Amino acid sequence: MKEEAIKRVLTELKAQNNFRKLTPLNKTLINLSSNDYIELGNDENLKKQFFQKAQLKLSSSSSRLMNGSYDEVIRLEKRLQEIYGKEGVVFNSGFSANSSIIKTFYNKNSLIITDQFNHASIYDGIKASGAKFVRYHHLDMNHLEEILKKNREKYDDIVVISETIYSMDGTICDLHQLVQLKKQYHFDLMIDEAHSYGVYGYGLAHKLNLVDKIDFLIIPLGKGGGSVGAYVITTPLFKDYIINKSYEFIYSTANPPINNAWNLFLLEKMPTFSEQRKKLQELSKFFLEILEKHQIHTNSKSHIISIIIGDNQKATFVAEQLKQNGFQIYAIKEPTVPKNTSRLRISLNSTLQKEELLHFTQLLSKKLNSKEKK
Ligand SMILES: Cc1ncc(COP(=O)(O)O)c(C=O)c1O
């Protein structure tokens, strides 16, 4: 791209109040934007326990097929197999796992049916696969079934892709219903647990006992997993295919031993974090109730709560005002969310206090009702 064209694009984004900048994290604010939902990545006690034992390399210096399959990652994959009852493959990130699984397993002869609000990494894989794809309305199982009815006979190879909890909406998919449709229409099912791992222990599919019904269970670890990397839970056959055919798996330096030792440490401890999970659930319920009392509308049903404002300028203004009053919060705009649905995304974590959420809601209500935009 020529410099002039780049400048034009950036100027246009500024005119739309949609120019992105990096701002250093202000640690003095109350953080309503952390995805470390049960604060595993920040827990001093856990860190102390971990570092007492950890004397680990900070680089793997090699891809998984060479020196990158060190002890810690092999032990981690073995434990994944024991816990989930299927093979585990460790990827370097959720983005690369999602994107790579789709483009490695599906091609121009496949049909990909995807929830319209699925993550950018899923769309990245879809585009790269060259497959035909159809979006179904967000979480609308009737629409999904309509698409399946129309296409089942036309394609040999169909995959349906959904997330469990949606990052920008806080909505939750009906996993039982997806599995039911799979039984009826015989498609592959790929599920992304980025925002439910940790929050539901080993994830929603594990909690509902549905892991064996899902062909690709993707578990990114950068959120409730308190770490980095991703697990792909799948069949032995598919695992072999990944090891032999996934470019992201084969041609990338493996994450360092220290990260996968931490992943293993948290995996073993996951059942013990029930207090944090309970606290997060209570906070979510409390927050949804006080929002309703203040007549602030949200469609969210989980620990992620989105308040749709619509207008970019107003969303930026409200987020800025809340920041000035002590809360770390961001306005989310297109293309992360559809045009004209700019919003405040509040992600709760188990260390927050009810009084903080009460104070936040009172302020939010005032700012939303104010006529000011800047
Ligand atoms: C639903 C979903 N899937 C995948 C990813 C990517 O995961 P990672 O940050 O590990 O690359 C994200 C993170 O933004 C996400 O929200």
Side-chain angles (χ1 to χ4, degrees), residues 93-95 98 119 121 163 167 192 194-195 220 223 229:
S93 74
F95 197 106
N98 273 340
H119 189 255
S121 53
E163 299 175 22
S167 169
D192 177 332
H195 299 276
K223 297 142 194 332

PDB file of all heavy atoms in Angstrom, residues 93-95 98 119 121 163 167 192 194-195 220 223 229, ligand 1:
ATOM      1  N   SER A  93      -1.387 -19.626  20.575  1.00  0.00           N
ATOM      2  CA  SER A  93      -2.402 -18.622  20.917  1.00  0.00           C
ATOM      3  C   SER A  93      -3.768 -19.106  20.435  1.00  0.00           C
ATOM      4  O   SER A  93      -3.862 -20.002  19.584  1.00  0.00           O
ATOM      5  CB  SER A  93      -2.095 -17.263  20.269  1.00  0.00           C
ATOM      6  OG  SER A  93      -2.378 -17.313  18.889  1.00  0.00           O
ATOM      7  N   GLY A  94      -4.800 -18.469  20.969  1.00  0.00           N
ATOM      8  CA  GLY A  94      -6.155 -18.785  20.522  1.00  0.00           C
ATOM      9  C   GLY A  94      -6.341 -18.382  19.069  1.00  0.00           C
ATOM     10  O   GLY A  94      -7.022 -19.078  18.307  1.00  0.00           O
ATOM     11  N   PHE A  95      -5.754 -17.266  18.696  1.00  0.00           N
ATOM     12  CA  PHE A  95      -5.906 -16.802  17.315  1.00  0.00           C
ATOM     13  C   PHE A  95      -5.346 -17.843  16.351  1.00  0.00           C
ATOM     14  O   PHE A  95      -6.004 -18.246  15.385  1.00  0.00           O
ATOM     15  CB  PHE A  95      -5.185 -15.446  17.128  1.00  0.00           C
ATOM     16  CG  PHE A  95      -5.630 -14.714  15.896  1.00  0.00           C
ATOM     17  CD1 PHE A  95      -6.454 -13.611  15.996  1.00  0.00           C
ATOM     18  CD2 PHE A  95      -5.243 -15.141  14.627  1.00  0.00           C
ATOM     19  CE1 PHE A  95      -6.891 -12.923  14.863  1.00  0.00           C
ATOM     20  CE2 PHE A  95      -5.672 -14.475  13.495  1.00  0.00           C
ATOM     21  CZ  PHE A  95      -6.497 -13.370  13.601  1.00  0.00           C
ATOM     22  N   ASN A  98      -7.566 -21.165  16.313  1.00  0.00           N
ATOM     23  CA  ASN A  98      -8.819 -21.026  15.556  1.00  0.00           C
ATOM     24  C   ASN A  98      -8.553 -20.959  14.060  1.00  0.00           C
ATOM     25  O   ASN A  98      -9.138 -21.714  13.271  1.00  0.00           O
ATOM     26  CB  ASN A  98      -9.544 -19.731  15.956  1.00  0.00           C
ATOM     27  CG  ASN A  98     -10.442 -19.932  17.164  1.00  0.00           C
ATOM     28  OD1 ASN A  98     -10.822 -21.052  17.480  1.00  0.00           O
ATOM     29  ND2 ASN A  98     -10.764 -18.857  17.829  1.00  0.00           N
ATOM     30  N   HIS A 119     -15.478 -14.604  16.514  1.00  0.00           N
ATOM     31  CA  HIS A 119     -14.249 -13.803  16.635  1.00  0.00           C
ATOM     32  C   HIS A 119     -13.480 -13.657  15.316  1.00  0.00           C
ATOM     33  O   HIS A 119     -13.559 -14.529  14.442  1.00  0.00           O
ATOM     34  CB  HIS A 119     -13.346 -14.482  17.684  1.00  0.00           C
ATOM     35  CG  HIS A 119     -12.160 -13.680  18.081  1.00  0.00           C
ATOM     36  ND1 HIS A 119     -10.887 -13.970  17.652  1.00  0.00           N
ATOM     37  CD2 HIS A 119     -12.061 -12.581  18.877  1.00  0.00           C
ATOM     38  CE1 HIS A 119     -10.048 -13.099  18.177  1.00  0.00           C
ATOM     39  NE2 HIS A 119     -10.730 -12.246  18.932  1.00  0.00           N
ATOM     40  N   SER A 121     -10.466 -14.198  14.620  1.00  0.00           N
ATOM     41  CA  SER A 121      -9.558 -15.327  14.322  1.00  0.00           C
ATOM     42  C   SER A 121     -10.302 -16.429  13.559  1.00  0.00           C
ATOM     43  O   SER A 121      -9.720 -17.141  12.731  1.00  0.00           O
ATOM     44  CB  SER A 121      -8.974 -15.901  15.617  1.00  0.00           C
ATOM     45  OG  SER A 121     -10.001 -16.231  16.532  1.00  0.00           O
ATOM     46  N   GLU A 163     -18.981 -19.790  19.542  1.00  0.00           N
ATOM     47  CA  GLU A 163     -18.279 -19.568  20.802  1.00  0.00           C
ATOM     48  C   GLU A 163     -19.248 -19.942  21.920  1.00  0.00           C
ATOM     49  O   GLU A 163     -20.455 -20.046  21.685  1.00  0.00           O
ATOM     50  CB  GLU A 163     -17.864 -18.094  20.926  1.00  0.00           C
ATOM     51  CG  GLU A 163     -16.924 -17.665  19.812  1.00  0.00           C
ATOM     52  CD  GLU A 163     -16.599 -16.171  19.831  1.00  0.00           C
ATOM     53  OE1 GLU A 163     -16.736 -15.538  20.897  1.00  0.00           O
ATOM     54  OE2 GLU A 163     -16.221 -15.650  18.780  1.00  0.00           O
ATOM     55  N   SER A 167     -17.628 -12.562  23.525  1.00  0.00           N
ATOM     56  CA  SER A 167     -16.747 -11.558  24.103  1.00  0.00           C
ATOM     57  C   SER A 167     -17.327 -10.148  24.100  1.00  0.00           C
ATOM     58  O   SER A 167     -17.116  -9.377  25.036  1.00  0.00           O
ATOM     59  CB  SER A 167     -15.454 -11.577  23.299  1.00  0.00           C
ATOM     60  OG  SER A 167     -14.665 -10.502  23.614  1.00  0.00           O
ATOM     61  N   ASP A 192     -15.435 -22.510  20.568  1.00  0.00           N
ATOM     62  CA  ASP A 192     -14.370 -21.685  21.159  1.00  0.00           C
ATOM     63  C   ASP A 192     -14.768 -21.310  22.595  1.00  0.00           C
ATOM     64  O   ASP A 192     -15.799 -20.686  22.814  1.00  0.00           O
ATOM     65  CB  ASP A 192     -14.212 -20.426  20.278  1.00  0.00           C
ATOM     66  CG  ASP A 192     -13.186 -19.441  20.832  1.00  0.00           C
ATOM     67  OD1 ASP A 192     -12.984 -19.398  22.045  1.00  0.00           O
ATOM     68  OD2 ASP A 192     -12.614 -18.682  20.016  1.00  0.00           O
ATOM     69  N   ALA A 194     -12.963 -19.363  24.735  1.00  0.00           N
ATOM     70  CA  ALA A 194     -12.079 -18.295  25.235  1.00  0.00           C
ATOM     71  C   ALA A 194     -12.622 -17.628  26.500  1.00  0.00           C
ATOM     72  O   ALA A 194     -11.875 -17.343  27.429  1.00  0.00           O
ATOM     73  CB  ALA A 194     -11.847 -17.245  24.158  1.00  0.00           C
ATOM     74  N   HIS A 195     -13.937 -17.378  26.538  1.00  0.00           N
ATOM     75  CA  HIS A 195     -14.478 -16.596  27.655  1.00  0.00           C
ATOM     76  C   HIS A 195     -15.218 -17.440  28.688  1.00  0.00           C
ATOM     77  O   HIS A 195     -15.888 -16.897  29.564  1.00  0.00           O
ATOM     78  CB  HIS A 195     -15.366 -15.474  27.105  1.00  0.00           C
ATOM     79  CG  HIS A 195     -14.574 -14.545  26.238  1.00  0.00           C
ATOM     80  ND1 HIS A 195     -13.827 -13.511  26.743  1.00  0.00           N
ATOM     81  CD2 HIS A 195     -14.348 -14.552  24.898  1.00  0.00           C
ATOM     82  CE1 HIS A 195     -13.199 -12.894  25.762  1.00  0.00           C
ATOM     83  NE2 HIS A 195     -13.490 -13.506  24.628  1.00  0.00           N
ATOM     84  N   PRO A 220      -8.654 -21.030  24.317  1.00  0.00           N
ATOM     85  CA  PRO A 220      -7.616 -20.011  24.454  1.00  0.00           C
ATOM     86  C   PRO A 220      -7.400 -19.692  25.934  1.00  0.00           C
ATOM     87  O   PRO A 220      -8.350 -19.708  26.717  1.00  0.00           O
ATOM     88  CB  PRO A 220      -8.197 -18.801  23.703  1.00  0.00           C
ATOM     89  CG  PRO A 220      -9.222 -19.378  22.787  1.00  0.00           C
ATOM     90  CD  PRO A 220      -9.814 -20.518  23.562  1.00  0.00           C
ATOM     91  N   LYS A 223      -7.477 -15.423  28.788  1.00  0.00           N
ATOM     92  CA  LYS A 223      -8.524 -14.705  29.535  1.00  0.00           C
ATOM     93  C   LYS A 223      -8.694 -15.380  30.905  1.00  0.00           C
ATOM     94  O   LYS A 223      -7.808 -15.256  31.727  1.00  0.00           O
ATOM     95  CB  LYS A 223      -9.785 -14.661  28.686  1.00  0.00           C
ATOM     96  CG  LYS A 223      -9.464 -13.865  27.407  1.00  0.00           C
ATOM     97  CD  LYS A 223     -10.104 -14.400  26.211  1.00  0.00           C
ATOM     98  CE  LYS A 223      -9.604 -13.890  24.889  1.00  0.00           C
ATOM     99  NZ  LYS A 223      -9.015 -12.593  24.706  1.00  0.00           N
ATOM    100  N   GLY A 229      -1.508 -18.936  25.201  1.00  0.00           N
ATOM    101  CA  GLY A 229      -1.531 -20.214  24.485  1.00  0.00           C
ATOM    102  C   GLY A 229      -2.966 -20.688  24.323  1.00  0.00           C
ATOM    103  O   GLY A 229      -3.914 -19.969  24.671  1.00  0.00           O
TER     104      GLY A 229
HETATM  105  C1  LIG B   1     -13.493 -15.665  21.276  1.00  0.00           C
HETATM  106  C2  LIG B   1     -12.025 -15.507  21.116  1.00  0.00           C
HETATM  107  N1  LIG B   1     -11.325 -16.476  20.478  1.00  0.00           N
HETATM  108  C3  LIG B   1     -10.004 -16.376  20.292  1.00  0.00           C
HETATM  109  C4  LIG B   1      -9.295 -15.287  20.751  1.00  0.00           C
HETATM  110  C5  LIG B   1      -7.827 -15.210  20.492  1.00  0.00           C
HETATM  111  O1  LIG B   1      -7.132 -15.761  21.558  1.00  0.00           O
HETATM  112  P1  LIG B   1      -5.627 -15.322  21.843  1.00  0.00           P
HETATM  113  O2  LIG B   1      -5.705 -13.992  22.516  1.00  0.00           O
HETATM  114  O3  LIG B   1      -5.101 -16.411  22.712  1.00  0.00           O
HETATM  115  O4  LIG B   1      -4.929 -15.242  20.532  1.00  0.00           O
HETATM  116  C6  LIG B   1      -9.966 -14.279  21.461  1.00  0.00           C
HETATM  117  C7  LIG B   1      -9.208 -13.154  22.021  1.00  0.00           C
HETATM  118  O5  LIG B   1      -9.336 -12.016  21.755  1.00  0.00           O
HETATM  119  C8  LIG B   1     -11.373 -14.381  21.625  1.00  0.00           C
HETATM  120  O6  LIG B   1     -12.062 -13.421  22.246  1.00  0.00           O
END
